[in-house]
Amino acid sequence: MKLKHLEMALQRCAGYAHPKASLEQYQTPAPLAARLLYHALMSRDIEGKRICDPGCGTGVLAIGAALLGAESVIGIEIDEGALKTARANAALLEADVEFVTGNVTDAPLVERIGACDTVIMNPPFGAQKAHADRPFIDFALATAPVTYGIFNAGSMPFVEAYTARRAEITDKIGGAFPIKRTFAFHTKDVQEIEVEILRLQRIP
Ligand code: SAH
């Protein structure tokens, strides 16, 4: 599947029916999701691989990985309502994804999911709760040797320090994350946030 076709397919995914600010529920826009996934595909981290998407929300990243030929994809989400949308999105795009209700901060979840090849994630950035992304990074490093994550621009030194001796950052791709007015505290119709996609490689 070409990049443009992937983007067009992901564009069809429905968004959160009732987005929750406390969980930082922002669906990754299709162009950014497609960019992450295509980069991972070209880096041989998707095709034939076992993929996990913690905090999968409405399923955009997980579904995209399935469409690009992952062997299996598992999406984990704490919010049942979001998972309902994710399941409908996967059905619409005929993507084979297993969606699981779970809390990424629960230690036993790692064992329940088992080892994967690649984690793809857009975790909470920590705007509502400081360091909300840390349990996601810990989960990712415990689950797979390779992780792609979307972070606020400028996060790299913090991610680097947090994962020191556990992982190396091998790739950094800049991108934009347009956020539509969603919550009462949003003052603009669309606010564009600069982000960076980081690829982490676990140190054996
Ligand atoms: N990955 C999705 C959603 C990003 S928003 C996308 O790219 O579109 C972050 C998601 O993480 C939200 O859906 C939120 O409900 C979920 N989340 C937040 N804390 C969580 C936790 N502790 N365990 C599992 N999911 C969580």
Side-chain angles (χ1 to χ4, degrees):
M1 183 182 276
K2 293 210 172 99
L3 174 63
K4 204 179 101 205
H5 293 136
L6 176 67
E7 193 180 315
M8 280 162 59
L10 296 180
Q11 211 74 262
R12 297 176 63 206
C13 287
Y16 291 96
H18 307 287
K20 298 186 179 76
S22 60
L23 290 171
E24 293 193 42
Q25 292 185 330
Y26 298 103
Q27 185 181 49
T28 304
L32 185 66
R35 190 134 163 237
L36 181 155
L37 290 161
Y38 226 73
H39 185 89
L41 177 74
M42 293 302 147
S43 307
R44 300 179 191 276
D45 290 323
I46 301 281
E47 215 176 330
K49 304 287 184 183
R50 192 171 146 78
I51 312 278
C52 180
D53 176 1
C56 66
T58 56
V60 177
L61 293 174
I63 290 167
L67 295 179
L68 289 179
E71 185 197 274
S72 66
V73 187
I74 184 156
I76 303 160
E77 172 56 51
I78 199 167
D79 178 25
E80 292 276 0
L83 271 189
K84 212 173 142 198
T85 304
R87 289 199 177 94
N89 284 336
L92 175 76
L93 294 175
E94 295 177 32
D96 188 9
V97 179
E98 184 188 349
F99 289 108
V100 171
T101 311
N103 185 336
V104 167
T105 63
D106 280 350
L109 185 68
V110 172
E111 275 180 39
R112 201 174 125 207
I113 300 304
C116 293
D117 300 305
T118 309
V119 164
I120 47 173
M121 63 180 188
N122 173 15
F125 290 168
Q128 297 294 322
K129 197 170 142 241
H131 310 307
D133 55 350
R134 289 187 178 177
F136 280 79
I137 294 172
D138 292 339
F139 174 88
L141 294 183
T143 300
V146 172
T147 294
Y148 290 83
I150 302 176
F151 301 91
N152 259 323
S155 297
M156 186 160 149
F158 299 101
V159 176
E160 218 158 27
Y162 185 64
T163 59
R165 290 181 298 279
R166 291 192 289 160
E168 268 175 354
I169 298 177
T170 60
D171 306 22
K172 177 184 150 191
I173 306 139
F177 196 129
I179 289 182
K180 289 190 202 125
R181 186 196 288 266
T182 314
F183 302 118
F185 58 82
H186 288 165
T187 51
K188 293 183 185 164
D189 284 344
V190 180
Q191 168 119 32
E192 199 149 278
I193 293 187
E194 292 297 317
V195 294
E196 56 199 28
I197 299 165
L198 300 179
R199 178 181 185 274
L200 287 93
Q201 175 108 43
R202 198 163 65 189
I203 296 169

